[in-house]
Amino acid sequence: MSITSKDIKRIIKEELKRVLMEDYSILRDMTPGDAVAYMERELNGKTWVFWDLESIGFGGQITQYGAIAYKIDNLTGEIPQQPLSTFEANVSLNKETIKKHIWEQDVLSRAEEVYHNEEEAYLMGDDVSDEFGLVLSHNKAKEAGRPYTVQDMIDYTHYEPTENDHDQRTALVLFLDWIKGLGDNVLSVGHNIKTFDRKKIILEGENFDVDTRDFQQLDIFDTVNFQRQLFKRLAQHQMEQGNQKMMRFFDEKEKTIKGEVKKVMAFNGKLQRMMDVYGPGEGYVQLHTAIDDTRQLIAAFFNMYREVREMVQDPSIGQMTTGIQAKRAQKELERKDITDPLEISQALSNFRRD
């Protein structure tokens, strides 16, 4: 039996609904006031698990797990102090990582020679060796201030072997069992977990034949989404009013618009910037260890949320319709009869957890 376009549309709608029901950080197309009310209605009373992973780059192995669980009964309360439970695990480097590390260090010890021998071929567009590719990529990453090699990632994440290190499979199983032990009504919370950390866990499960279905079904709240879909709008509005604090979330960058280079203010939603403004302050440098990043996110998020809640008490801010896209919202609601942005916002708030 062939699949029709109607079948495809139905599948897409079902997948969209599933994602919306799992992801509480989808706050688009709502006014700030409705978004805050929605969060407090839906997220109070849950067990929040803040967590983070460190790894050897995007494609490399996981090296650290860090997670802290709290029962959050009132989002408007103080920053939680007493966790229900904490999980921390160091993962031993696997054979592939060690092999890659040794090779990279050997090549980079001969970097000048490797580059000199193949520079002409590279400039002529000819094929070059993997060794030359490593040297070139490492140099570019170094200029941009990004970690690239295994050693770079070890240094970047302050990774150190311990006597209690686990192999990859054991660490994964321990983490999943720890989450399962927290019971029902668990909310998975982290910074960029939707596009990175969560996918790493699922991939790790596939690689080591570990069942991650319960983990995949956890409701999530990604603080990156919270920033991009709610906080950014408020910060931009306040920055335009001259708020110096909110200006710290925007960096001046050059962007080519219709062939002309212009300076624009780009929003910076990285954890380090959250920490600078709402965490320990600019003097504290992000350690990039899983457990410390988790602790810093907890403090920064709750401080940020408290200010967001204060801002939306002002009706001119709480009922802002900036960013509400009627057509997108109508498609999600499967309704074309609602056109007023305020009505759309209220309808979405109800629909996403109806």
Side-chain angles (χ1 to χ4, degrees):
M1 184 176 68
S2 61
I3 298 177
T4 66
S5 59
K6 187 176 181 180
D7 292 328
I8 294 174
K9 288 180 180 178
R10 175 181 56 78
I11 292 169
I12 291 173
K13 286 180 180 179
E14 289 176 354
E15 178 65 14
L16 175 61
K17 187 174 182 180
R18 183 188 67 80
V19 171
L20 287 170
M21 292 303 289
E22 289 178 350
D23 188 354
Y24 284 89
S25 62
I26 295 179
L27 304 170
R28 67 190 181 209
D29 300 325
M30 288 192 282
T31 66
D34 282 343
V36 165
Y38 164 80
M39 286 175 59
E40 293 180 4
R41 184 183 73 232
E42 300 296 337
L43 301 182
N44 282 337
K46 289 183 176 291
T47 297
W48 289 44
V49 177
F50 289 87
W51 64 285
D52 183 45
L53 301 175
E54 297 299 341
S55 66
I56 303 297
F58 289 101
Q61 72 163 100
I62 294 172
T63 55
Q64 299 174 35
Y65 290 77
I68 306 175
Y70 296 93
K71 179 68 179 301
I72 304 296
D73 291 318
N74 185 4
L75 260 174
T76 65
E78 298 296 319
I79 297 173
Q81 299 296 323
Q82 296 300 323
L84 294 174
S85 184
T86 299
F87 181 87
E88 186 175 1
N90 223 42
V91 185
S92 55
L93 300 183
N94 63 35
K95 292 180 180 179
E96 292 76 15
T97 300
I98 293 172
K99 183 178 179 181
K100 183 179 181 182
H101 184 213
I102 293 172
W103 176 74
E104 288 175 341
Q105 293 305 106
D106 173 62
V107 173
L108 293 177
S109 70
R110 301 180 283 106
E112 289 187 14
E113 176 188 349
V114 171
Y115 194 88
H116 175 75
N117 290 341
E118 300 190 61
E119 181 182 13
E120 185 175 347
Y122 169 71
L123 293 175
M124 294 296 292
D126 296 335
D127 292 337
V128 293
S129 68
D130 290 341
E131 290 188 349
F132 184 86
L134 169 64
V135 172
L136 186 66
S137 296
H138 183 256
N139 288 345
K140 289 181 178 180
K142 193 174 181 179
E143 289 177 3
R146 298 193 307 270
Y148 183 78
T149 65
V150 172
Q151 187 60 53
D152 290 341
M153 292 306 304
I154 288 173
D155 295 338
Y156 183 71
T157 61
H158 296 81
Y159 174 85
E160 292 184 4
T162 73
E163 294 181 355
N164 299 317
D165 286 358
H166 303 286
D167 61 68
Q168 288 173 268
R169 192 180 194 282
T170 300
L172 174 64
V173 171
L174 289 171
F175 178 61
L176 296 176
D177 286 349
W178 176 80
I179 291 179
K180 189 174 182 179
L182 295 171
D184 299 327
N185 208 21
V186 169
L187 182 69
S188 175
V189 187
H191 203 65
N192 204 32
I193 56 169
K194 186 176 180 180
T195 58
F196 179 72
D197 304 77
R198 184 174 179 273
K199 290 182 178 180
K200 290 288 287 187
I201 293 291
I202 295 170
L203 181 60
E204 200 87 336
E206 293 172 354
N207 290 338
F208 294 100
D209 194 27
V210 174
D211 188 352
T212 61
R213 284 176 294 181
D214 288 345
F215 171 81
Q216 292 183 50
Q217 291 171 7
L218 291 176
D219 292 328
I220 68 172
F221 186 86
D222 195 320
T223 52
V224 165
N225 260 8
F226 168 77
Q227 287 199 77
R228 291 174 178 170
Q229 297 187 16
L230 176 57
F231 180 77
K232 179 182 176 181
R233 284 184 285 162
L234 301 176
Q236 188 161 2
H237 175 271
Q238 297 296 76
M239 179 185 70
E240 291 169 354
Q241 306 302 312
N243 187 311
Q244 295 295 316
K245 184 177 182 179
M246 294 300 132
M247 285 182 182
R248 295 167 66 186
F249 280 97
F250 294 85
D251 298 326
E252 187 176 77
K253 294 186 176 181
E254 290 186 345
K255 185 177 182 180
T256 302
I257 303 175
K258 294 182 179 181
E260 184 179 352
V261 178
K262 295 185 178 181
K263 290 184 177 180
V264 297
M265 299 301 289
F267 180 75
N268 185 326
K270 292 182 179 180
L271 178 57
Q272 179 65 63
R273 192 59 58 91
M274 283 183 75
M275 290 164 55
D276 289 345
V277 183
Y278 289 108
E282 293 187 11
Y284 189 94
V285 178
Q286 186 179 352
L287 295 182
H288 294 287
T289 64
I291 196 65
D292 188 69
D293 280 6
T294 300
R295 291 192 182 104
Q296 302 311 323
L297 175 63
I298 292 166
F301 169 74
F302 280 100
N303 284 331
M304 176 181 279
Y305 180 77
R306 183 181 300 160
E307 187 152 2
V308 166
R309 197 175 189 282
E310 290 175 0
M311 284 191 278
V312 302
Q313 302 310 306
D314 179 347
S316 66
I317 296 176
Q319 296 185 25
M320 278 172 45
T321 57
T322 306
I324 293 180
Q325 295 186 21
K327 288 185 178 180
R328 179 175 63 190
Q330 288 171 343
K331 187 175 182 180
E332 181 180 329
L333 292 165
E334 297 184 10
R335 293 181 59 179
K336 293 185 178 180
D337 59 310
I338 304 179
T339 57
D340 180 76
L342 291 175
E343 291 183 14
I344 286 174
S345 171
Q346 191 62 55
L348 277 177
S349 176
N350 295 329
F351 171 78
R352 284 178 181 158
R353 286 295 177 277
D354 187 3

